[in-house]
Amino acid sequence: MARLATSALDTAMLGSIMSRVRAQAAADPQSNPILLFALDLTLQMDRGEIDLDGLESIVRQLTAEAFADRAERLRNYLSETAIAANERAVEDLIEHKAREGSFEEFRTALNRIVFGVVFTAHPTFSISLELARSLAELATGQTFDGVALDPAGRDERMERAARVEHRPPEELSLEVEHGWVTEALQHAHDALEGVHRTALRVARQHWPAQWTSIVPRLVTLASWVGYDQDGRTDITWTRTIAARLADKLAMIERHLRKVEVLERAARGDYLATLQPLAAMLAKARTTVAHQIELLAAAERDPAATAAFGRAMVSGRSHALVETAPMLALIEAAIGAAPDDERRETIAVMRAGMRTHGLALAHIHVRLNASQLHNAARRLVGLETEPNDPANRRSYFTTINVLLGRVRPVAISFESLMVEGASAKRLMMTVAQIVKFIDAETPIRFLIAETKTGFTLLTALYYARMFGVDDRIEISPLFETEDAFERGERVLEEALKSPHYRAYLNRQGRLAVQFGYSDSGRFIGQMAATFRIERLRLRIAQLLERHGLSKLEVILFNTHGESIGRGGHPSTLADRLRYAAPPNNRAEFERRGLRVKEEISFQGGDGYLLFLTPAAATASIRQTLGFAFDVSDETGNDPIYAAPDYSAEFFATVQQEFSNLVDDPDYAALLSLFSANLLYRTGSRPVAREVEEWGRQSKIEHPSQLRAIPNNAILQQLGFMAITLYGVGRAISKDPELFQAMRERSVRFGRSVRMVAAALDRTELDVLRAYVDTLNPSMWLNGAGRARRPARTKALRELARVTGQLDQHDRLARLVRRLQADQLWLLDAIEPAETAPRRRLILLHGIRVAVIQRICLLAMEIPNFSPQLGVTRDDLLARILELDVPSAVERLRRIFPNEESLARTPDDFGEKSLYRPDSALSYEIEHNTVFDPMLKLYELARRIGTAITHEIGAVG
């Protein structure tokens, strides 16, 4: 067969091969079409009929197609992307509010915050910011700076998408992530200012003499970027302070630009009120910028921290730590403005300042409960876990007594330098932020893995010690099976403390966080949503029972953009209602409990919804529509009328999935390639093995992974188990009732659409093909059919190495377990045979071929005696698990590609052509084995990003 040039190798040709082998496999239940396709492709590559450049070109084309489809799905996800249409929709919502009651009722309604948008720092930065902007621009038909996108602009972005690499930035640091979130926050503020302006105009139409007294708030923006210290020792107190100062500087500059525009056109008394406002902001900008410079110097040299601390103290009055001076000048400017248009502009600024203070976002700091327990260990005499039944009451009593005695302690920035306990240091950091950066905006203090009221009281104790108990919102995070069982009892236990109850009453609100990512991966995503809904209801009942119905309840639903982590794939409206079902929200309303719902937008995937003005406006419009319409879908939904069916259905999913999680074979699947099929998508440091390199450590249980890599591994293996597994068994108990509920229940039907979307992105043959790369029988069978001695030798060697790994039998057993449940599921739901699904399967097929090619190349590594603490079999095992870069790095040291130091004949008086073996160059091995393996591995990871586009999110 003639060699296929790059131009001759196209998606149509590969698609036809895949269609042919799938048709063959349909008649042969023992065959796997993905393996047949990969084998065909591998043989053609081996014979030189298809070159790697041609295959890379195909992957670029498929990636661009997946990218374009992702943009189209994002457009549909937002429902409406035209700014004018979304502004009209917001106006209709506010107009409806205006007609519902009196001026005071309207003012109260608009002054109340009803929704929170939270930008988290989760590692989902799978592409560059430039590509992410292009994706959002294609979806919304508008550039990131607000210009309409014409056909030429669309073509230019698609050409770029086909040309550039789809991968994260090379230097993916916390500062890079902060740049992303700053851009998203700026667009979100633009959208919120539009909402505030609309609200003021509606008010002016209805109450022309009173409208300027209205301060619309409605939606808050919050950020985790630089503040989340759960499992992140790299985020030091200096980086957290730096992030907060940067957020503050960005907002000061935003306000200053607006005032300067007004100032240029102002005259008389109006100008006289604007000038001191501009001067105050300009002085604050200079002061905060100088503080940032000094902090950067302190990060480089801790000895410079004292100078930074002095600057924070001396600059406090100019840095605008309180908003009162600014707001007084703003009120004067509103009174002096010559017309309603300029009054409106200043009133919009006032609304933003009342909502967010002088920073781009509220902040959520986060740590783990264990960090608090470690800090309090000596204080309380904590010798066991706080929830230990034998000591639980005494621990609780001790911390409660201490709460009554604790008094605020004065600290400085030096205190942060010397404190070793991370929990105390974080609370000190909060105290310094309140003291020197923002004295008014509440700070959320999130505590992961909260299992006891003791933890909440410990956080309150340190908040009192450092004088910030009136500024922080202590929030437990419930995301485990145990937390769902007894989350309300954790709160009830804390309420036994008069100090905690008094704290809540002073705050006027209770904040609770629910996690969909970890809960979904431990009990199944379908079970998690049901358990969270039930816990929310029990919390409402608890507050009613304890006479706390005057509290505002903040319900923070933390989930990602992927299906496996709770992000509904249909529309943003569905996503909001999936996380906070209208019937459940109505239960809070019925009890007189005011609720503020919050939703997370996680990392690069989440920020997409705010990367253009059009996307941000659409997203804010959807959140307001959701927040204002509590009664939506609260009719006679049959799933709530059949509690026995729903409880048993979701309990079955939970039971099946929990058993899967505890199956060692499932852990083996997660270890198959670990996260090696993907680029690193976040700034979290990657652990490096510096000793005992040898065999890679295996995952013994999913709890050793974080939620995003757990989900991402399954996505990349072609099986969305977290959303699917256990659902088949649950359906099988009553298929007819399942179909009835699916069709008639809005709540249940929405959940089933999650399952259907996951099924569309799942193919069991793909999973089996990946697993079979470790199948000794497959390689041995190939050796028996090979015609070339070299190929026979390589295949026999592969059979030997995979046999030594001894993983295939347990992986095959796990695949059978997944298949058994999926067969029940397929009886009820069929995956849609769409072009994106065919393309997704084709991408997997190409990658299986690429992995097989890497495996075959690895067998060409020369034998060597153990060196650098590693044997040849150790290296081969690493390569078969696709830890290719570190393996090749070792190989390059063992087989160096460099000539010995050249010397002239005069050095020794005569010429020598002899070279010892140790001085020989291994140029051939580098050119034919090591370098091609790296190139193939890079292609495998690029396919990983294309698969992420098809699925719509990382992890």
Side-chain angles (χ1 to χ4, degrees):
M1 182 183 290
R3 178 187 175 89
L4 285 170
T6 299
S7 58
L9 180 64
D10 58 22
T11 56
M13 188 201 80
L14 292 184
S16 67
I17 296 173
M18 181 64 79
S19 297
R20 171 171 54 79
V21 295
R22 291 184 79 185
Q24 290 173 358
D28 180 6
Q30 300 300 316
S31 65
N32 183 339
I34 310 302
L35 276 180
L36 291 173
F37 171 84
L39 177 62
D40 192 309
L41 200 55
T42 302
L43 290 174
Q44 291 188 58
M45 291 173 66
D46 186 51
R47 294 193 295 260
E49 295 161 1
I50 295 177
D51 63 19
L52 188 53
D53 289 340
L55 204 56
E56 288 177 333
S57 177
I58 286 294
V59 170
R60 280 196 299 272
Q61 181 182 341
L62 291 171
T63 302
E65 291 174 8
F67 181 82
D69 267 8
R70 185 178 182 183
E72 186 61 29
R73 291 198 308 275
L74 181 58
R75 176 193 296 275
N76 296 331
Y77 190 75
L78 292 168
S79 299
E80 173 60 71
T81 58
I83 289 180
N86 280 314
E87 288 176 340
R88 285 194 298 271
V90 169
E91 183 177 2
D92 289 344
L93 287 170
I94 296 173
E95 179 67 32
H96 182 71
K97 282 287 179 186
R99 293 179 180 178
E100 280 184 336
S102 66
F103 170 76
E104 286 301 326
E105 289 170 328
F106 180 72
R107 181 164 65 177
T108 300
L110 263 66
N111 187 250
R112 182 180 158 234
I113 296 170
V114 295
F115 195 85
V117 171
V118 183
F119 295 98
T120 73
H122 287 78
T124 66
F125 299 87
S126 62
I127 53 177
S128 67
L129 178 56
E130 182 184 34
L131 265 180
R133 284 192 193 123
S134 293
L135 186 60
E137 288 169 341
L138 289 166
T140 59
Q142 187 190 78
T143 65
F144 78 97
D145 53 358
V147 178
L149 196 64
D150 59 19
R154 287 183 172 278
D155 291 345
E156 188 274 329
R157 281 154 182 78
M158 281 309 305
E159 287 168 7
R160 183 193 307 150
R163 185 178 67 252
V164 304
E165 288 189 13
H166 289 237
R167 56 162 298 154
E170 292 284 353
E171 297 297 326
L172 186 50
S173 64
L174 182 66
E175 288 68 31
V176 169
E177 294 169 354
H178 193 269
W180 279 55
V181 78
T182 298
E183 188 165 314
L185 282 165
Q186 293 282 11
H187 289 310
H189 275 288
D190 290 341
L192 281 182
E193 286 179 3
V195 171
H196 296 159
R197 186 174 293 106
T198 298
L200 291 166
R201 288 177 181 175
V202 170
R204 188 164 76 234
Q205 292 168 2
H206 286 267
W207 299 282
Q210 298 170 285
W211 71 273
T212 57
S213 66
I214 286 178
V215 183
R217 297 169 76 199
L218 298 174
V219 176
T220 57
L221 308 174
S223 173
W224 284 21
V225 185
Y227 311 108
D228 177 14
Q229 296 190 15
D230 179 21
R232 292 203 63 166
T233 57
D234 63 308
I235 299 183
T236 60
W237 71 265
T238 56
R239 297 184 87 179
T240 295
I241 295 287
R244 194 57 179 155
L245 286 171
D247 289 342
K248 181 174 183 175
L249 181 61
M251 184 55 99
I252 289 172
E253 291 175 338
R254 182 183 177 90
H255 285 316
L256 182 57
R257 285 193 298 270
K258 294 179 184 301
V259 172
E260 287 174 341
V261 170
L262 292 172
E263 194 179 21
R264 285 194 289 270
R267 299 290 183 274
D269 292 344
Y270 182 47
L271 177 60
T273 62
L274 291 176
Q275 286 173 331
L277 187 59
M280 188 178 288
L281 285 166
K283 182 63 176 177
R285 177 181 62 182
T286 302
T287 302
V288 174
H290 181 57
Q291 291 170 344
I292 291 172
E293 290 175 1
L294 290 176
L295 181 57
E299 287 186 289
R300 293 189 297 270
D301 178 9
T305 306
F308 165 71
R310 290 193 297 271
M312 294 298 286
V313 174
S314 63
R316 189 181 188 282
S317 60
H318 294 308
L320 296 177
V321 177
E322 289 95 7
T323 57
M326 284 279 300
L327 289 169
L329 292 173
I330 285 174
E331 294 293 348
I334 291 174
D339 53 53
D340 283 346
E341 182 179 345
R342 278 175 272 200
R343 272 190 285 276
E344 177 190 286
T345 300
I346 295 292
V348 168
M349 184 184 298
R350 177 184 62 185
M353 202 170 294
R354 290 283 191 188
T355 307
H356 293 98
L358 273 173
L360 278 180
H362 293 212
I363 63 173
H364 290 188
V365 299
R366 185 173 73 144
L367 46 57
N368 194 278
S370 62
Q371 293 170 270
L372 279 167
H373 302 161
N374 288 336
R377 198 163 297 280
R378 289 185 181 179
L379 178 76
V380 178
L382 202 64
E383 297 179 351
T384 60
E385 287 299 309
N387 58 352
D388 172 23
N391 297 286
R392 184 183 191 119
R393 290 185 179 181
S394 61
Y395 292 153
F396 184 89
T397 300
T398 301
I399 193 66
N400 189 50
V401 170
L402 289 169
L403 264 171
R405 297 175 182 171
V406 66
R407 296 294 180 268
V409 176
I411 63 168
S412 70
F413 283 102
E414 181 193 24
S415 309
L416 294 170
M417 298 177 70
V418 300
E419 177 55 59
S422 58
K424 292 168 71 174
R425 190 170 57 245
L426 180 57
M427 196 68 79
M428 288 178 178
T429 304
V430 168
Q432 295 301 84
I433 288 172
V434 170
K435 198 189 304 181
F436 296 115
I437 301 176
D438 184 345
E440 298 170 349
T441 309
I443 295 174
R444 189 74 52 78
F445 197 89
L446 302 169
I447 309 171
E449 298 189 43
T450 303
K451 300 176 183 178
T452 171
F454 171 89
T455 306
L456 301 178
L457 267 58
T458 302
L460 181 57
Y461 173 85
Y462 286 119
R464 281 192 177 180
M465 173 179 281
F466 300 119
V468 291
D469 53 312
D470 61 339
R471 284 290 175 266
I472 67 166
E473 300 166 339
I474 298 169
S475 172
L477 166 56
F478 298 132
E479 59 180 343
T480 64
E481 186 174 357
D482 179 65
F484 293 158
E485 286 288 346
R486 55 184 318 277
E488 81 285 2
R489 280 177 275 170
V490 169
L491 294 171
E492 190 164 31
E493 182 182 25
L495 285 169
K496 293 177 182 177
S497 166
H499 305 292
Y500 182 73
R501 183 183 284 266
Y503 157 76
L504 289 181
N505 284 323
R506 285 196 310 274
Q507 289 269 329
R509 56 191 174 273
L510 167 69
V512 182
Q513 181 186 6
F514 307 102
Y516 284 75
S517 296
D518 268 337
S519 60
R521 74 192 183 102
F522 288 127
I523 66 172
Q525 188 52 239
M526 291 300 98
T529 180
F530 174 77
R531 298 300 300 276
I532 290 172
E533 182 175 3
R534 300 301 299 170
L535 178 55
R536 284 166 57 108
L537 176 59
R538 297 200 305 276
I539 290 172
Q541 294 167 342
L542 169 73
L543 295 175
E544 181 183 39
R545 190 166 62 249
H546 281 264
L548 295 171
S549 58
K550 290 184 179 179
L551 290 180
E552 178 187 37
V553 187
I554 302 172
L555 301 173
F556 179 20
N557 302 295
T558 318
H559 61 257
E561 279 57 46
S562 77
I563 299 168
R565 291 188 296 116
H568 201 285
S570 298
T571 65
L572 180 54
D574 278 310
R575 173 178 173 176
L576 295 166
R577 288 159 180 79
Y578 175 80
N583 271 280
N584 186 266
R585 296 176 65 219
E587 290 290 339
F588 283 86
E589 187 179 66
R590 187 173 65 80
R591 291 170 169 80
L593 290 161
R594 293 177 295 117
V595 172
K596 176 193 177 188
E597 298 280 357
E598 293 183 340
I599 293 288
S600 62
F601 294 86
Q602 297 191 349
D605 289 338
Y607 303 168
L608 279 173
L609 279 74
F610 294 87
L611 279 188
T612 69
T617 302
S619 298
I620 293 296
R621 173 265 174 109
Q622 290 288 353
T623 60
L624 281 175
F626 162 78
F628 279 164
D629 196 358
V630 177
S631 62
D632 184 28
E633 301 177 11
T634 55
N636 297 319
D637 191 317
I639 198 65
Y640 295 102
D644 291 343
Y645 174 76
S646 61
E648 184 170 333
F649 183 92
F650 293 112
T652 301
V653 174
Q654 179 174 338
Q655 183 181 61
E656 292 291 317
F657 198 88
S658 297
N659 291 338
L660 176 71
V661 167
D662 290 333
D663 185 345
D665 295 342
Y666 181 61
L669 179 67
L670 296 175
S671 287
L672 175 59
F673 303 124
S674 297
N676 293 326
L677 289 171
L678 284 166
Y679 296 103
R680 185 167 67 95
T681 57
S683 62
R684 187 184 306 277
V686 177
R688 293 183 181 273
E689 296 168 283
V690 291
E691 297 179 6
E692 300 299 328
W693 186 82
R695 296 290 174 91
Q696 197 165 10
S697 60
K698 292 291 184 181
I699 297 165
E700 301 295 335
H701 191 273
S703 58
Q704 295 172 247
L705 288 169
R706 285 184 170 266
I708 288 175
N710 190 158
N711 275 273
I713 288 168
L714 294 168
Q715 288 175 352
Q716 294 296 318
L717 293 176
F719 200 94
M720 310 279 277
I722 288 172
T723 309
L724 297 179
Y725 189 75
V727 177
R729 181 72 183 95
I731 292 171
S732 72
K733 290 188 170 185
D734 195 335
E736 292 77 16
L737 187 52
F738 167 81
Q739 292 295 354
M741 286 294 180
R742 179 186 181 186
E743 294 168 7
R744 298 171 192 166
S745 167
V746 177
R747 170 73 172 119
F748 192 71
R750 182 173 286 124
S751 297
V752 174
R753 288 202 298 279
M754 287 269 285
V755 175
L759 193 58
D760 287 344
R761 294 157 174 83
T762 289
E763 177 54 61
L764 192 71
D765 284 332
V766 166
L767 175 62
R768 190 179 286 115
Y770 285 123
V771 164
D772 276 345
T773 59
L774 297 186
N775 184 359
S777 296
M778 183 185 76
W779 299 117
L780 206 55
N781 288 337
R785 292 177 172 81
R787 297 180 180 179
R788 292 186 296 117
R791 176 46 51 88
T792 300
K793 180 182 177 183
L795 289 168
R796 289 177 66 89
E797 179 73 348
L798 257 175
R800 180 190 69 81
V801 175
T802 53
Q804 283 183 341
L805 291 175
D806 195 23
Q807 291 293 306
H808 181 261
D809 287 350
R810 60 191 307 198
L811 292 171
R813 185 168 59 234
L814 189 278
V815 170
R816 291 194 297 273
R817 179 173 187 166
L818 297 175
Q819 182 179 20
D821 186 80
Q822 191 189 40
L823 290 174
W824 278 315
L825 180 58
L826 291 172
D827 286 339
I829 307 172
E830 279 288 333
E833 272 302 320
T834 61
R837 176 174 167 81
R838 289 191 292 271
R839 184 173 56 237
L840 176 61
I841 292 173
L842 181 59
L843 282 163
H844 280 297
I846 293 171
R847 189 163 62 182
V848 170
V850 167
I851 292 171
Q852 289 181 352
R853 184 66 183 153
I854 291 172
C855 293
L856 288 167
L857 277 174
M859 300 306 109
E860 297 179 24
I861 295 171
N863 285 314
F864 61 90
S865 58
Q867 294 187 44
L868 303 175
V870 65
T871 67
R872 181 174 181 271
D873 280 358
D874 290 334
L875 281 168
L876 294 178
R878 285 288 186 121
I879 292 169
L880 293 187
E881 293 164 357
L882 293 187
D883 186 12
V884 176
S886 64
V888 169
E889 187 272 333
R890 294 269 167 156
L891 285 167
R892 283 175 168 167
R893 291 164 62 187
I894 294 168
F895 300 102
N897 182 20
E898 53 189 26
E899 294 288 347
S900 58
L901 184 64
R903 296 185 177 90
T904 65
D906 293 339
D907 291 338
F908 296 95
E910 60 181 333
K911 186 176 182 179
S912 172
L913 298 177
Y914 174 77
R915 293 290 183 272
D917 290 346
S918 60
L920 292 177
S921 171
Y922 292 92
E923 182 179 1
I924 293 175
E925 285 78 6
H926 280 255
N927 292 340
T928 62
V929 181
F930 307 159
D931 293 346
M933 273 200 299
L934 278 178
K935 194 172 183 181
L936 285 162
Y937 174 67
E938 183 65 18
L939 182 59
R941 289 203 296 179
R942 284 168 53 190
I943 292 171
T945 304
I947 289 169
T948 296
H949 286 326
E950 297 287 10
I951 291 168
V954 176

